[in-house]
Amino acid sequence: MEKIISLCKRRGFVFQGSEIYGGLAGTWDYGHLGLALKNNIKSLWWKMFVTDREDMYGVDAAILMQGKVWEVSGHTSTFADPLVECEKCKRRFRADHLENSEKCPECGGKLGEPRMFNMMFQTKVGAQDAVTSYLRPETAQGVFTNFKNTVDSFHPKLPFGIAQIGKAFRNEISPRDFIFRVRELEQMEVEYFVKPDEWQAEFEKWRENVREWVKLLGLKNVHEVEIKEEDRAHYSARTVDFEYDYPFGQNELLGLACRTDFDLKNHMKGSGVELEYFDEETKEKFVPFVIEPSFGVERALLAVLVESYTEDELGGEPRVFLKLPKHLAPIRAAIFPLLKNKPELVAKAREVFMMLKKDFPNVVFDDNGNIGKRYRRQDEIGTPFCITIDFDTLGEKPELLGTVTLRDRDSGEQKRVNIEELKEALK
Ligand code: GAP
């Protein structure tokens, strides 16, 4: 894990939040490459779960919502973790994460009685007569409060879903394991509305969809865990967690739950607005059930980094590289002139770079340092292809005129390819 964290900082993926002030626990900032990787994950998700389907609608709800939303959803009363405080050093811990529930893991002091700690960040909205609100702890509620708007605007037939990607905030008692447990996170959630008596079958279909997603991320060690009733969230009739083998142990990557009609029914009571669905075919009115696959962006990103981090030996030298799937890699290809001080090589390399950039916006041009070093730099950030323009490209060997070397990140092998064939080769 330390190696991954250090690579992430060194190569501009992830930095500690507020670092120059000593950091703020549970917050992380994303540099140019981390942001690109994160955006690729989010775009892939949106493509798979929204644009490639006909039964999905998007929404982008406000992070701040009326306080009442969180009362009605049950979050003000139940969104809490057990907290214990050490009577000696006053440090606080999450009780269910401690191996020894009596002794402080830091100083060995006696731990007090656990109490429930609500994880929502409270805030005041307005300058006068301010009302209490919360930074949303899940994006899902912004979907439920827009259920009626979506039905009225688009008249979808059941089953259909509403998807949202956005920030959520949780005042975790002990944020830890790099970006695994953070206080400011991003979720990608689907609330899929189904006829109540069809929820089991729809749940299984979503289970399959999630398996496909995990494959797209290139993750191998994923386990499906049926969550026992006593461990499920207050709204859930069934939950299957997808867990990944992180370096610190097997832990939750994402969750799939059946939220029944819990949320819509409660919002109907709380707001007085009718949130029933009218089925045109059967002329029945009812509150749909909800299947919810809920994905954490940071946990997906961390799993992708863990899965792709590789150490090997190439040309007799040790190397570190990210074996990222090419559709996720922040940079698809790097284009190099063999020598920086040969204007004809630089000009040709820039021409190839500009040509490829039209189809692949995430290609880069690099003429810094020797070729070996450039390869290693790109390997370390997971760039699947490197393209070198050399004297043969310009026709030193006439039979190689108009060809370049295309190097494969994983094998380090190079082959000569015509410039016209590059677009196809990079796909
Ligand atoms: N709407 C349902 C919901 O929020 P959850 O299991 O509490 O369910 C869903 O969270 C997903 O959000 C988790 O599977 C995880 O990927 C991500 N997540 C939750 N808390 C997190 C945290 N503190 N840091 C990073 N990711 C988190």
Side-chain angles (χ1 to χ4, degrees):
M1 192 69 174
E2 286 314 311
K3 288 179 178 174
I4 292 174
I5 298 173
S6 133
L7 185 150
C8 281
K9 180 168 166 57
R10 193 171 67 248
R11 304 311 315 270
F13 282 84
V14 186
F15 310 118
Q16 201 185 350
S18 313
E19 190 177 349
I20 61 168
Y21 288 98
L24 177 66
T27 67
W28 297 90
D29 296 342
Y30 290 80
H32 184 68
L33 297 177
L35 176 62
L37 180 52
K38 197 149 76 127
N39 283 342
N40 287 348
I41 291 174
K42 290 194 283 182
S43 309
L44 189 69
W45 187 90
W46 196 261
K47 181 177 177 322
M48 173 169 175
F49 292 117
V50 184
T51 47
D52 281 357
R53 298 175 58 124
E54 292 179 60
D55 55 350
M56 294 292 304
Y57 301 82
V59 75
D60 185 16
I63 288 175
L64 291 173
M65 303 178 83
Q66 272 215 17
K68 192 139 188 229
V69 169
W70 305 108
E71 272 168 40
V72 165
S73 67
H75 283 77
T76 48
S77 53
T78 59
F79 195 64
D81 277 337
L83 176 147
V84 279
E85 188 174 280
C86 170
E87 290 177 359
K88 197 168 150 203
C89 72
K90 305 292 174 204
R91 282 198 182 90
R92 292 171 171 192
F93 307 93
R94 204 170 131 173
D96 56 335
H97 282 173
L98 293 179
E99 274 171 28
N100 179 339
S101 59
E102 282 165 19
K103 272 194 178 167
C104 171
E106 294 291 333
C107 75
K110 187 169 176 297
L111 292 174
E113 280 302 305
R115 65 179 170 89
M116 293 313 277
F117 173 78
N118 193 293
M119 288 194 289
M120 285 198 292
F121 283 100
Q122 207 182 71
T123 186
K124 293 280 178 197
V125 180
Q128 225 170 352
D129 305 324
V131 293
T132 298
S133 183
Y134 304 89
L135 299 184
R136 65 182 178 200
E138 61 167 2
T139 58
Q141 294 305 323
V143 167
F144 296 126
T145 53
N146 281 292
F147 171 76
K148 183 171 165 20
N149 286 334
T150 306
V151 171
D152 290 349
S153 302
F154 305 104
H155 310 288
K157 267 194 171 175
L158 282 184
F160 72 92
I162 305 179
Q164 178 164 218
I165 299 182
K167 292 260 185 177
F169 301 82
R170 298 182 179 192
N171 197 5
E172 294 281 353
I173 296 168
S174 22
R176 59 178 186 188
D177 298 319
F178 191 32
I179 54 172
F180 178 81
R181 190 175 302 285
V182 293
R183 289 183 168 140
E184 178 174 336
L185 58 130
E186 215 167 351
Q187 289 186 319
M188 308 183 282
E189 296 199 297
V190 169
E191 307 305 320
Y192 197 72
F193 301 95
V194 302
K195 289 186 180 167
D197 58 353
E198 292 178 0
W199 81 261
Q200 274 102 340
E202 294 295 341
F203 192 97
E204 288 310 321
K205 285 189 204 160
W206 275 97
R207 198 171 177 164
E208 267 309 317
N209 292 340
V210 172
R211 288 180 186 143
E212 284 303 307
W213 165 250
V214 163
K215 257 192 239 160
L216 270 183
L217 290 186
L219 305 180
K220 290 186 205 84
N221 304 315
V222 175
H223 314 271
E224 292 173 33
V225 180
E226 191 76 49
I227 304 299
K228 287 197 227 112
E229 192 176 347
E230 59 269 32
D231 296 330
R232 291 199 292 256
H234 57 280
Y235 47 71
S236 173
R238 185 181 178 195
T239 299
V240 171
D241 277 351
F242 284 66
E243 299 190 345
Y244 180 71
D245 285 335
Y246 292 99
F248 45 85
Q250 183 179 322
N251 219 322
E252 183 180 340
L253 168 70
L254 64 97
L256 174 64
C258 170
R259 290 182 81 127
T260 67
D261 53 6
F262 177 89
D263 300 271
L264 286 182
K265 261 196 178 152
N266 283 340
H267 285 307
M268 197 153 78
K269 262 192 242 148
S271 66
V273 174
E274 201 192 282
L275 298 175
E276 284 180 315
Y277 178 86
F278 179 68
D279 191 322
E280 295 284 351
E281 276 164 27
T282 61
K283 306 293 177 208
E284 279 176 315
K285 244 185 180 183
F286 56 91
V287 178
F289 267 37
V290 173
I291 307 297
E292 181 196 64
S294 176
F295 308 73
V297 176
E298 290 77 7
R299 292 198 185 174
L301 198 148
L302 181 58
V304 164
L305 286 170
V306 168
E307 189 78 44
S308 59
Y309 182 91
T310 314
E311 292 178 353
D312 71 355
E313 218 177 73
L314 194 67
E317 301 246 332
R319 103 173 147 150
V320 168
F321 72 109
L322 293 182
K323 212 172 185 168
L324 290 170
K326 64 182 172 204
H327 55 272
L328 292 182
I331 293 172
R332 181 63 68 101
I335 294 106
F336 311 143
L338 181 66
L339 298 169
K340 187 182 183 168
N341 57 1
K342 296 286 172 201
E344 61 277 33
L345 288 180
V346 174
K348 191 70 190 169
R350 286 211 67 85
E351 190 187 310
V352 172
F353 166 68
M354 293 311 290
M355 176 196 87
L356 290 174
K357 203 160 174 60
K358 286 192 197 122
D359 291 273
F360 304 95
N362 59 343
V363 291
V364 296
F365 178 88
D366 185 8
D367 60 5
N368 240 323
N370 69 44
I371 283 284
K373 283 212 178 104
R374 288 183 234 168
Y375 284 153
R376 293 306 164 102
R377 271 205 300 272
Q378 295 301 330
D379 286 350
E380 221 186 355
I381 60 173
T383 307
F385 305 106
C386 289
I387 295 161
T388 304
I389 282 71
D390 56 19
F391 292 107
D392 290 335
T393 313
L394 305 177
E396 193 167 278
K397 284 198 199 94
E399 68 277 18
L400 295 181
L401 178 70
T403 65
V404 296
T405 64
L406 179 68
R407 173 183 178 273
D408 175 79
R409 171 197 65 202
D410 300 347
S411 63
E413 276 165 20
Q414 300 180 28
K415 58 180 179 185
R416 281 215 87 89
V417 173
N418 269 312
I419 290 173
E420 296 81 62
E421 290 164 6
L422 279 175
K423 277 185 200 164
E424 202 48 42
L426 262 50
K427 273 185 190 155

Coordinates of all heavy atoms in Angstrom, one line a residue, residues 347-401:
A347 N 9.5 18.0 -35.6 CA 8.4 18.4 -36.4 C 7.5 17.2 -36.8 O 6.3 17.3 -36.7 CB 8.9 19.1 -37.7
K348 N 8.1 16.1 -37.2 CA 7.3 14.9 -37.6 C 6.6 14.4 -36.4 O 5.4 14.0 -36.5 CB 8.3 13.8 -38.1 CG 7.6 12.7 -38.8 CD 6.9 13.2 -40.1 CE 6.0 12.1 -40.7 NZ 5.2 12.7 -41.8
A349 N 7.3 14.3 -35.2 CA 6.6 13.8 -34.0 C 5.4 14.7 -33.6 O 4.4 14.2 -33.2 CB 7.6 13.7 -32.8
R350 N 5.6 16.0 -33.8 CA 4.4 16.9 -33.4 C 3.3 16.7 -34.4 O 2.1 16.7 -34.1 CB 4.9 18.4 -33.4 CG 5.7 18.7 -32.1 CD 5.5 20.1 -31.7 NE 4.2 20.4 -31.2 CZ 3.7 20.2 -30.0 NH1 4.5 19.6 -29.1 NH2 2.5 20.5 -29.6
E351 N 3.6 16.4 -35.7 CA 2.6 16.1 -36.7 C 1.8 14.9 -36.3 O 0.5 14.9 -36.3 CB 3.3 16.0 -38.0 CG 2.4 15.9 -39.2 CD 3.3 15.5 -40.5 OE1 4.3 16.2 -40.7 OE2 2.9 14.6 -41.2
V352 N 2.5 13.8 -35.9 CA 1.8 12.6 -35.5 C 1.0 12.8 -34.3 O -0.2 12.4 -34.2 CB 2.9 11.5 -35.2 CG1 2.2 10.2 -34.6 CG2 3.6 11.1 -36.5
F353 N 1.6 13.6 -33.3 CA 0.8 13.9 -32.1 C -0.5 14.7 -32.4 O -1.5 14.3 -31.9 CB 1.8 14.8 -31.2 CG 1.1 15.5 -30.1 CD1 0.6 14.8 -29.0 CD2 1.1 16.9 -30.0 CE1 0.0 15.4 -27.9 CE2 0.5 17.5 -29.0 CZ -0.1 16.8 -27.9
M354 N -0.4 15.7 -33.2 CA -1.6 16.5 -33.5 C -2.7 15.6 -34.3 O -3.8 15.7 -34.0 CB -1.3 17.7 -34.4 CG -0.4 18.8 -33.7 SD -1.0 19.2 -32.1 CE -2.5 20.1 -32.5
M355 N -2.2 14.7 -35.1 CA -3.1 13.8 -35.8 C -3.8 12.9 -34.8 O -5.1 12.8 -34.9 CB -2.3 13.0 -36.8 CG -3.1 12.0 -37.6 SD -2.1 10.7 -38.4 CE -1.9 9.5 -37.1
L356 N -3.1 12.3 -33.9 CA -3.7 11.4 -33.0 C -4.6 12.1 -32.0 O -5.6 11.5 -31.5 CB -2.6 10.6 -32.3 CG -1.9 9.6 -33.1 CD1 -0.7 8.9 -32.3 CD2 -2.8 8.4 -33.6
K357 N -4.2 13.3 -31.6 CA -5.0 14.0 -30.6 C -6.5 14.3 -31.0 O -7.3 14.4 -30.2 CB -4.3 15.4 -30.3 CG -4.6 15.9 -29.0 CD -3.7 16.9 -28.5 CE -4.1 17.5 -27.2 NZ -4.3 16.6 -26.1
K358 N -6.7 14.3 -32.3 CA -8.1 14.5 -32.8 C -9.0 13.3 -32.4 O -10.1 13.5 -32.0 CB -8.1 14.6 -34.3 CG -7.6 15.9 -34.8 CD -7.9 16.1 -36.3 CE -7.0 17.2 -36.8 NZ -6.2 16.8 -37.9
D359 N -8.4 12.1 -32.4 CA -9.2 10.9 -32.0 C -9.0 10.5 -30.6 O -9.9 9.9 -29.9 CB -8.8 9.7 -32.9 CG -9.3 9.9 -34.3 OD1 -10.4 9.6 -34.6 OD2 -8.5 10.5 -35.1
F360 N -7.8 10.8 -30.0 CA -7.5 10.5 -28.6 C -7.1 11.7 -27.9 O -5.8 12.1 -27.9 CB -6.4 9.4 -28.6 CG -6.8 8.2 -29.4 CD1 -6.3 8.0 -30.7 CD2 -7.6 7.2 -28.8 CE1 -6.6 6.9 -31.4 CE2 -7.9 6.0 -29.6 CZ -7.4 5.9 -30.8
P361 N -8.0 12.5 -27.3 CA -7.6 13.7 -26.6 C -6.5 13.5 -25.6 O -5.8 14.5 -25.2 CB -8.8 14.3 -26.0 CG -9.9 13.5 -26.7 CD -9.4 12.2 -27.2
N362 N -6.4 12.3 -25.1 CA -5.4 12.1 -24.0 C -4.1 11.5 -24.5 O -3.6 10.5 -23.9 CB -6.0 11.2 -22.9 CG -6.5 9.9 -23.3 OD1 -6.7 9.6 -24.5 ND2 -6.7 8.9 -22.4
V363 N -3.6 12.0 -25.6 CA -2.2 11.6 -25.9 C -1.3 12.8 -25.5 O -1.7 13.9 -25.4 CB -2.0 11.4 -27.5 CG1 -2.7 10.1 -27.9 CG2 -2.5 12.5 -28.3
V364 N 0.0 12.5 -25.2 CA 0.9 13.5 -24.8 C 2.2 13.5 -25.7 O 2.5 12.4 -26.3 CB 1.4 13.4 -23.3 CG1 0.2 13.6 -22.4 CG2 2.1 12.1 -23.1
F365 N 2.9 14.6 -25.7 CA 4.1 14.7 -26.5 C 5.2 14.9 -25.4 O 5.1 15.6 -24.5 CB 4.0 16.0 -27.3 CG 5.3 16.3 -28.1 CD1 5.5 15.7 -29.4 CD2 6.3 17.1 -27.6 CE1 6.7 16.0 -30.1 CE2 7.4 17.4 -28.3 CZ 7.6 16.8 -29.6
D366 N 6.3 14.1 -25.6 CA 7.4 14.2 -24.6 C 8.7 14.1 -25.3 O 9.0 13.1 -26.0 CB 7.2 13.1 -23.6 CG 8.2 13.2 -22.4 OD1 8.9 14.2 -22.3 OD2 8.3 12.3 -21.6
D367 N 9.6 15.1 -25.1 CA 10.9 15.0 -25.6 C 12.0 15.2 -24.6 O 13.2 15.5 -24.8 CB 11.1 16.1 -26.8 CG 10.9 17.5 -26.3 OD1 10.8 17.7 -25.0 OD2 10.9 18.4 -27.1
N368 N 11.6 14.9 -23.3 CA 12.5 15.2 -22.2 C 13.3 13.9 -21.8 O 12.7 12.9 -21.5 CB 11.6 15.6 -21.0 CG 12.0 16.9 -20.5 OD1 13.2 17.3 -20.5 ND2 11.0 17.7 -20.1
G369 N 14.6 14.0 -21.8 CA 15.5 12.9 -21.3 C 15.6 11.8 -22.4 O 15.0 12.0 -23.5
N370 N 16.4 10.8 -22.0 CA 16.6 9.8 -23.1 C 15.4 8.9 -23.2 O 14.5 8.8 -22.3 CB 17.9 9.0 -22.8 CG 17.8 8.1 -21.6 OD1 16.7 7.5 -21.4 ND2 18.8 8.1 -20.7
I371 N 15.3 8.1 -24.3 CA 14.1 7.3 -24.6 C 13.8 6.4 -23.5 O 12.6 6.2 -23.1 CB 14.3 6.6 -25.9 CG1 14.1 7.6 -27.1 CG2 13.4 5.4 -26.1 CD1 12.7 7.9 -27.4
G372 N 14.8 5.7 -22.9 CA 14.6 4.7 -21.9 C 13.9 5.4 -20.7 O 12.9 4.8 -20.1
K373 N 14.3 6.6 -20.3 CA 13.7 7.2 -19.2 C 12.3 7.6 -19.5 O 11.4 7.6 -18.7 CB 14.5 8.5 -18.8 CG 15.8 8.3 -18.1 CD 16.0 9.4 -17.1 CE 17.3 9.1 -16.3 NZ 18.5 9.9 -16.8
R374 N 12.0 8.0 -20.7 CA 10.7 8.4 -21.1 C 9.7 7.2 -21.1 O 8.6 7.3 -20.6 CB 10.6 9.0 -22.6 CG 11.3 10.4 -22.6 CD 11.2 10.9 -24.1 NE 12.5 11.3 -24.6 CZ 12.7 11.6 -25.9 NH1 11.7 11.5 -26.7 NH2 13.9 12.0 -26.3
Y375 N 10.2 6.1 -21.5 CA 9.4 4.8 -21.4 C 9.1 4.5 -20.0 O 7.9 4.2 -19.7 CB 10.2 3.6 -22.0 CG 10.3 3.5 -23.5 CD1 11.4 2.9 -24.1 CD2 9.3 4.1 -24.3 CE1 11.5 2.8 -25.5 CE2 9.4 4.0 -25.7 CZ 10.5 3.3 -26.3 OH 10.6 3.3 -27.6
R376 N 10.0 4.6 -19.1 CA 9.8 4.3 -17.7 C 8.8 5.2 -17.0 O 7.9 4.8 -16.2 CB 11.1 4.3 -16.9 CG 12.1 3.2 -17.2 CD 11.4 1.9 -17.2 NE 12.2 0.8 -17.8 CZ 13.0 0.0 -17.2 NH1 13.1 0.0 -15.9 NH2 13.6 -0.9 -17.9
R377 N 8.9 6.5 -17.4 CA 7.9 7.5 -16.9 C 6.5 7.1 -17.3 O 5.6 7.2 -16.5 CB 8.3 8.9 -17.4 CG 9.3 9.7 -16.6 CD 9.1 11.2 -16.8 NE 9.2 11.6 -18.2 CZ 10.4 12.0 -18.7 NH1 11.5 12.0 -17.9 NH2 10.5 12.4 -19.9
Q378 N 6.4 6.8 -18.5 CA 5.0 6.4 -19.0 C 4.5 5.1 -18.4 O 3.4 5.0 -18.1 CB 5.0 6.4 -20.6 CG 5.3 7.7 -21.3 CD 4.3 8.8 -20.9 OE1 3.1 8.5 -20.6 NE2 4.7 10.0 -20.9
D379 N 5.5 4.2 -18.3 CA 5.1 2.9 -17.7 C 4.5 3.1 -16.3 O 3.5 2.5 -15.9 CB 6.3 1.9 -17.5 CG 6.7 1.4 -18.9 OD1 6.0 1.5 -19.9 OD2 7.8 0.8 -18.9
E380 N 5.2 4.0 -15.5 CA 4.8 4.2 -14.1 C 3.4 4.8 -14.0 O 2.7 4.7 -13.0 CB 5.8 5.1 -13.5 CG 6.1 4.6 -12.1 CD 7.1 5.5 -11.3 OE1 7.5 6.5 -11.9 OE2 7.2 5.3 -10.1
I381 N 2.9 5.5 -15.0 CA 1.6 6.1 -15.0 C 0.6 5.3 -15.8 O -0.6 5.7 -16.0 CB 1.6 7.6 -15.4 CG1 2.1 7.8 -16.8 CG2 2.5 8.4 -14.4 CD1 1.9 9.2 -17.3
G382 N 1.1 4.2 -16.3 CA 0.1 3.3 -17.0 C -0.2 3.5 -18.4 O -1.2 3.0 -18.9
T383 N 0.6 4.3 -19.1 CA 0.3 4.6 -20.5 C 0.5 3.3 -21.4 O 1.6 2.8 -21.4 CB 1.3 5.7 -21.0 OG1 1.2 6.8 -20.1 CG2 1.0 6.2 -22.4
P384 N -0.5 2.9 -22.0 CA -0.4 1.6 -22.7 C 0.6 1.6 -23.9 O 1.1 0.6 -24.3 CB -1.8 1.2 -23.2 CG -2.7 2.3 -22.8 CD -1.9 3.4 -22.1
F385 N 0.7 2.8 -24.6 CA 1.5 2.8 -25.8 C 2.5 4.0 -25.8 O 2.1 5.1 -25.4 CB 0.6 3.0 -27.1 CG -0.5 1.9 -27.2 CD1 -1.8 2.2 -26.9 CD2 -0.1 0.6 -27.6 CE1 -2.8 1.3 -27.0 CE2 -1.1 -0.3 -27.7 CZ -2.5 0.0 -27.4
C386 N 3.7 3.7 -26.4 CA 4.6 4.8 -26.6 C 5.0 4.7 -28.1 O 5.2 3.6 -28.7 CB 5.9 4.6 -25.8 SG 5.6 5.0 -24.1
I387 N 5.1 5.9 -28.7 CA 5.3 5.9 -30.2 C 6.6 6.8 -30.4 O 6.6 7.9 -29.9 CB 4.1 6.6 -30.9 CG1 2.9 5.7 -30.7 CG2 4.4 6.9 -32.4 CD1 1.6 6.4 -31.0
T388 N 7.6 6.2 -31.1 CA 8.8 7.0 -31.3 C 9.0 7.2 -32.8 O 8.9 6.4 -33.6 CB 10.0 6.2 -30.7 OG1 9.8 5.9 -29.3 CG2 11.3 7.0 -30.8
I389 N 9.3 8.5 -33.0 CA 9.6 8.9 -34.4 C 11.2 9.0 -34.5 O 11.8 9.7 -33.7 CB 9.0 10.3 -34.7 CG1 7.5 10.2 -35.0 CG2 9.6 11.0 -35.9 CD1 6.6 9.8 -33.9
D390 N 11.7 8.2 -35.4 CA 13.2 8.2 -35.5 C 13.6 8.5 -37.0 O 12.8 8.9 -37.8 CB 13.7 6.8 -35.1 CG 13.1 5.7 -35.8 OD1 12.6 5.9 -36.9 OD2 13.2 4.5 -35.3
F391 N 14.9 8.3 -37.3 CA 15.4 8.7 -38.6 C 14.8 7.8 -39.7 O 14.6 8.2 -40.8 CB 16.9 8.7 -38.7 CG 17.5 9.8 -37.8 CD1 18.1 9.5 -36.6 CD2 17.4 11.1 -38.2 CE1 18.6 10.5 -35.8 CE2 17.9 12.1 -37.4 CZ 18.5 11.8 -36.2
D392 N 14.4 6.6 -39.3 CA 13.8 5.7 -40.3 C 12.4 6.2 -40.7 O 11.9 6.0 -41.9 CB 13.7 4.3 -39.8 CG 15.0 3.6 -39.8 OD1 15.9 4.0 -40.5 OD2 15.2 2.7 -39.0
T393 N 11.7 6.9 -39.8 CA 10.4 7.5 -40.1 C 10.6 8.5 -41.2 O 9.7 8.6 -42.1 CB 9.9 8.2 -38.8 OG1 10.0 7.4 -37.7 CG2 8.4 8.7 -39.0
L394 N 11.7 9.1 -41.2 CA 12.0 10.2 -42.3 C 12.6 9.6 -43.5 O 12.9 10.3 -44.5 CB 12.9 11.3 -41.7 CG 12.4 11.9 -40.4 CD1 13.5 12.9 -39.9 CD2 11.1 12.6 -40.6
G395 N 12.9 8.3 -43.5 CA 13.3 7.6 -44.7 C 14.8 7.3 -44.8 O 15.3 7.0 -45.9
E396 N 15.5 7.3 -43.6 CA 16.9 6.9 -43.6 C 17.0 5.5 -44.3 O 17.9 5.3 -45.1 CB 17.5 6.9 -42.2 CG 19.0 6.9 -42.2 CD 19.6 7.2 -40.9 OE1 19.7 8.5 -40.6 OE2 19.9 6.3 -40.1
K397 N 16.2 4.6 -43.8 CA 16.1 3.3 -44.6 C 14.8 3.5 -45.4 O 13.7 3.5 -44.8 CB 15.9 2.1 -43.6 CG 17.1 1.7 -42.9 CD 17.0 0.3 -42.4 CE 18.0 0.0 -41.3 NZ 17.5 0.3 -39.9
P398 N 14.9 3.6 -46.7 CA 13.8 4.0 -47.5 C 12.6 3.1 -47.3 O 11.4 3.5 -47.4 CB 14.3 3.9 -49.0 CG 15.8 4.0 -48.8 CD 16.2 3.5 -47.5
E399 N 12.9 1.8 -47.1 CA 11.7 0.9 -47.0 C 10.9 1.2 -45.7 O 9.8 0.7 -45.5 CB 12.2 -0.6 -47.0 CG 13.0 -1.1 -45.9 CD 14.5 -0.8 -46.0 OE1 14.9 0.2 -46.8 OE2 15.3 -1.4 -45.3
L400 N 11.5 1.9 -44.7 CA 10.8 2.2 -43.5 C 10.2 3.6 -43.4 O 9.6 4.1 -42.4 CB 11.7 2.0 -42.3 CG 12.2 0.6 -42.0 CD1 13.2 0.5 -40.8 CD2 11.1 -0.4 -41.9
L401 N 10.3 4.3 -44.5 CA 9.7 5.7 -44.6 C 8.2 5.7 -44.1 O 7.4 4.8 -44.6 CB 9.8 6.2 -46.0 CG 9.2 7.6 -46.3 CD1 10.0 8.7 -45.6 CD2 9.0 7.9 -47.8

